[in-house]
Structure formats: C-alpha cells, structure tokens
Amino acid sequence: MKQTNKYSFYFILFILLIGLSSCLQQKKTTNWSLSFSKDSKEPYGTYLAYEGLKNIFAQAPEVLRPSYRLSNLGFKLRKQEGVSFICMVGNAFYPDNKEVDSLFAFATEGHQILIAANDFSNYFMERLGITATGDYHKKTDSIIRIFLTGTEREPHAYTNDDKGMYLRNCFQDRQAPPGYYILGTNEKGHPNFIVYRMGKGHLLLHASPVAFSNYFLLQPEHKHYLETALSFVPEGINHVYWSDFIYKRSSQSDWSILWAQPATRIALLLTLLGLLVYLLFEMKRKQRMIPVIPPAENASVAFVETIGRLYYNKKDHANLAEKMVQHFLDYVRNQCYLNTSNLDKEFVRQLSARSGQTIEVTDSLIYTIKEVQNGVSVDDQYLYSLYSQIQQFTHGRK
C-alpha cells in the first residue's frame, strides 16, 4: 500500500512538471494595446521612433518621465542655452490649464514642440481654435492612406492596414487662426498634421500617434515617414527631449492613475496583503496580560506621620516641636546648602535669597525656631503656628 502511494505521488509530480513546462514554453501573444512607450517593441510601442531621433538629430534625446509636470518645463529647460525640441507621443493629452499655458509660453520663446495624441483636452483645443475628431472606434479591414507634404511640397501617400487603430483621426478648425499650416492629411483630405507658429517657435500637432508606432514605421514604404515629418523642425536644435506621456483626465483622481500602472498596482496589492497578514498574526496575544503593580509607598513618610500623631496624642508638644525644627533645619541643609549652626541675621538673609521667600516670612520662622530651641512653652496653638509657618515656607515658594 505504501509502495502504491509512493508511485502515485511521483506520477502526480511528473504531470505537474509537464504542465509547468508547457506553460513556460507557451508562445507569447502579441500585445496590440496603445502603449506608445519608447521601451516597448510591441506593435504600438515607439521604440523605433525614439531610436530614430538619435539619427535625425546630432544628440540623443533626454527622457521626460510621465510624472514630470509641464508647469515646471520652463524652470528646467530655461537653464540650458540654445533651442530645444520636445517630442511628445501618447494616447490622450490631458494637461491642466497651467501646464498648457507653460507649454505655449515655452514655444513662444523659440523652442519647437511636437505633440501626437488621439485625444486632447478641451482647454488645449480651445486655445488653438480647433477640434479633434475621427471615427476610430469603428474597426475596418480597409487600407487607410495618410498624406504628408515633403520638403519639395509634393504630398506623399503612406498606406497602412488600419486595424481600427486611429489612423482616421483629424483636426477641424472652427476659426482659421493665424500661423496655422497643414502638413499632412488623412484619406479624406482632412488635416491630421498641422503646425502653429508661436512667437519665435512652433507647435506641431499630430492627430494619429500610430504613425510614430513600430507597426507603422516597420512597413517598407514608411521608413522615411519619421524623417519627413521631422524635416519641418528648423535646424540648429541644441537639446532634444522625448516624452511618452501619461496625462490623466480632469475627472480622474491621482489614485486611479497609480492604479492604472501594473507595477504600482502590484506593489499596492502586496503592501495591503502584507498588512493583512501582519494584523491576522498580531491579533492573538503572544503573552498574558501584565498585571498593574502599584508603586511602593514611602514607608519612612508613613513612619514619621505615625510618630508625630503619637507625640501629639500624648500632649508632648515640646518634643514634637523640636522634632519639627530638626526636620526643617535638615531640609535647609540639603536643599538650600546652608550651615544651620548659627541662626543670625546673615543666615536669615541667605536663606531668604536661596529659598525665594521674603525677609519678613523667613525672619518670623527663624524667630519661632529660636524660641523652640530656647525651651519656650509649647501648647496646641503654638504647635499649629509652627507647623503652618514651616509648611508655608517649604511648599509655598514663589
């Protein structure tokens, strides 16, 4: 029986290993999502476009991270001399109003900016006087043609299997603003690549970021599309920047942006799981409840109080008064650091200065102490007066 269980265990283990091996060797499926990431070699990543900038311009582009805010653009780039070119490719461009103002101000100073996105914020479009539109939600098997005007001013047609991926996007101008030029159109002749002259610089807008994707640029007849599109950028660029941006809609919260990133989402889930495990293990006490131990009482104080009551009950007021005087003088020696062998006027002055009491209060108490030391007759009233003076002096400091 034990031998049978042993063979059964090895058989199940063998089946599990075969299943795990088949899962690891399973062919990876193609990711057709619109990532537009410079590091992605998937069809709709922008690895080729990012690497192409290194060949078109003399310097390699610096990356602006998705968390970088455009409102800080001027502070970062104005520190560098010369003209800068910023290439921004993404799915939805939704900066806030301050970021749009900062972007336009930066272009006005003479810098060049290219933004390619499927969708733009309303404020951004209103500032430019145009709208973005397209029937890109409808899938099709037809061949999409987009036209790009070359440097010789003759349009070149670039055909591509659309697969429903936004190549029909275009711009519509509500009012033809000054400094507005069309650089490219879609198959219906509607502009999808335009340029604005802003002060000393230019703002180039592309309504189909898929044109900068790996899938589009890998087509044999499309190898010059990126170079031709960037030929409209003036020469003399000193700094090149790249941003595959992720800008949230105004209706989204910062939490939703964090949750949308796979790495951040996994990290948050692992953190919550760790906290849950910690709470489950810590709910059970590891030891018994520690009992509260009351502090030890001062037995010497209780003893002194008991002796005082004994002297008082026996009407031995003189002896009790002497004990009170001795206790007070001991207090003066330990707390005020004074010699109590000679209770003269100099002693009264020093005791008053160190104790914070007035000369009158100090002198009255020392006078009463001298009477006790000289053997004055002590009754209940005198004993109470001595006790009150000592208490006022020791506990009633200013």
Side-chain angles (χ1 to χ4, degrees):
M1 186 66 180
K2 293 183 178 180
Q3 191 72 11
T4 304
N5 292 338
K6 181 179 178 181
Y7 288 134
S8 300
F9 171 78
Y10 284 127
F11 177 77
I12 294 174
L13 181 61
F14 178 75
I15 296 298
L16 291 176
L17 290 177
I18 293 178
L20 180 61
S21 177
S22 62
C23 291
L24 294 176
Q25 296 177 1
Q26 185 178 3
K27 185 178 179 180
K28 183 180 179 181
T29 58
T30 303
N31 182 9
W32 291 92
S33 62
L34 298 176
S35 65
F36 299 116
S37 172
K38 70 174 185 63
D39 300 319
S40 175
K41 296 183 180 180
E42 298 291 344
Y44 291 106
T46 54
Y47 176 81
L48 292 179
Y50 175 76
E51 293 295 325
L53 292 183
K54 300 179 182 179
N55 300 323
I56 296 174
F57 297 97
Q59 60 279 356
E62 179 182 343
V63 178
L64 298 177
R65 296 300 175 186
S67 59
Y68 186 79
R69 307 309 300 170
L70 294 179
S71 55
N72 299 328
L73 194 63
F75 298 102
K76 175 180 176 62
L77 304 185
R78 287 191 186 100
K79 298 178 182 179
Q80 302 181 1
E81 298 180 355
V83 179
S84 299
F85 169 67
I86 305 177
C87 184
M88 309 179 71
V89 181
N91 188 30
F93 187 66
Y94 275 85
D96 58 35
N97 296 356
K98 291 183 179 180
E99 290 178 311
V100 174
D101 297 338
S102 177
L103 193 69
F104 288 173
F106 187 70
T108 304
E109 294 177 0
H111 303 284
Q112 313 298 319
I113 302 173
L114 169 63
I115 304 176
N118 289 317
D119 197 10
F120 299 87
S121 67
N122 293 333
Y123 180 75
F124 183 79
M125 292 284 96
E126 290 174 358
R127 287 288 304 271
L128 297 176
I130 59 175
T131 58
T133 183
D135 54 355
Y136 44 80
H137 292 294
K138 181 180 179 180
K139 291 188 177 182
T140 177
D141 294 330
S142 62
I143 300 299
I144 303 301
R145 306 180 69 194
I146 60 175
F147 297 87
L148 184 66
T149 303
T151 54
E152 65 276 7
R153 301 302 176 185
E154 293 181 2
H156 294 271
Y158 296 85
T159 61
N160 188 68
D161 184 2
D162 180 34
K163 295 185 181 297
M165 290 298 180
Y166 304 91
L167 279 177
R168 286 191 172 94
N169 293 4
C170 62
F171 297 110
Q172 293 181 350
D173 58 316
R174 293 174 296 186
Q175 300 178 6
Y180 165 79
Y181 303 98
I182 298 176
L183 303 179
T185 62
N186 61 8
E187 61 176 350
K188 296 181 179 180
H190 298 149
N192 64 356
F193 188 26
I194 59 178
V195 60
Y196 282 87
R197 180 182 297 276
M198 293 186 173
K200 301 178 181 180
H202 296 87
L203 174 64
L204 294 89
L205 294 183
H206 205 298
S208 298
V210 171
F212 297 90
S213 66
N214 301 328
Y215 182 79
F216 185 86
L217 296 179
L218 278 175
Q219 306 301 321
E221 65 275 14
H222 297 172
K223 59 182 180 179
H224 298 300
Y225 184 86
L226 180 65
E227 183 179 354
T228 306
L230 296 182
S231 65
F232 298 100
V233 178
E235 297 181 353
I237 298 298
N238 304 104
H239 307 282
V240 179
Y241 299 92
W242 172 276
S243 173
D244 41 9
F245 54 84
I246 301 175
Y247 284 102
K248 65 184 179 68
R249 296 176 179 267
S250 57
S251 60
Q252 292 179 318
S253 63
D254 294 333
W255 175 261
S256 63
I257 296 299
L258 292 176
W259 192 258
Q261 307 305 315
T264 308
R265 182 169 63 250
I266 294 174
L268 291 173
L269 290 175
L270 289 177
T271 302
L272 293 175
L273 179 61
L275 291 175
L276 179 60
V277 172
Y278 175 79
L279 290 176
L280 291 177
F281 278 94
E282 291 297 324
M283 286 175 62
K284 184 178 180 181
R285 289 186 175 271
K286 296 182 179 180
Q287 63 180 16
R288 295 180 180 179
M289 184 180 297
I290 301 176
V292 178
I293 302 176
E297 297 182 355
N298 193 341
S300 60
V301 175
F303 176 76
V304 170
E305 292 177 352
T306 303
I307 296 299
R309 293 193 190 95
L310 179 62
Y311 280 114
Y312 186 80
N313 292 333
K314 289 187 175 183
K315 302 298 182 179
D316 192 359
H317 299 329
N319 199 350
L320 181 56
E322 291 178 2
K323 295 293 188 294
M324 293 170 60
V325 169
Q326 292 176 6
H327 184 268
F328 173 75
L329 295 179
D330 183 69
Y331 166 81
V332 171
R333 287 190 294 270
N334 294 329
Q335 300 296 326
C336 300
Y337 306 103
L338 291 176
N339 188 354
T340 60
S341 59
N342 188 11
L343 306 181
D344 54 4
K345 291 184 178 180
E346 179 62 20
F347 174 81
V348 172
R349 185 187 65 79
Q350 292 183 5
L351 181 59
S352 174
R354 297 192 183 187
S355 64
Q357 294 289 351
T358 63
I359 292 292
E360 291 77 8
V361 173
T362 306
D363 185 65
S364 176
L365 176 58
I366 297 301
Y367 179 80
T368 305
I369 290 175
K370 287 181 179 180
E371 286 186 336
V372 173
Q373 290 177 341
N374 293 332
V376 69
S377 177
V378 180
D379 55 7
D380 292 348
Q381 185 176 0
Y382 191 93
L383 186 63
Y384 178 76
S385 175
L386 174 62
Y387 175 80
S388 300
Q389 286 182 286
I390 292 175
Q391 290 296 315
Q392 178 184 359
F393 189 90
T394 56
H395 300 289
R397 287 187 177 186
K398 294 181 180 180

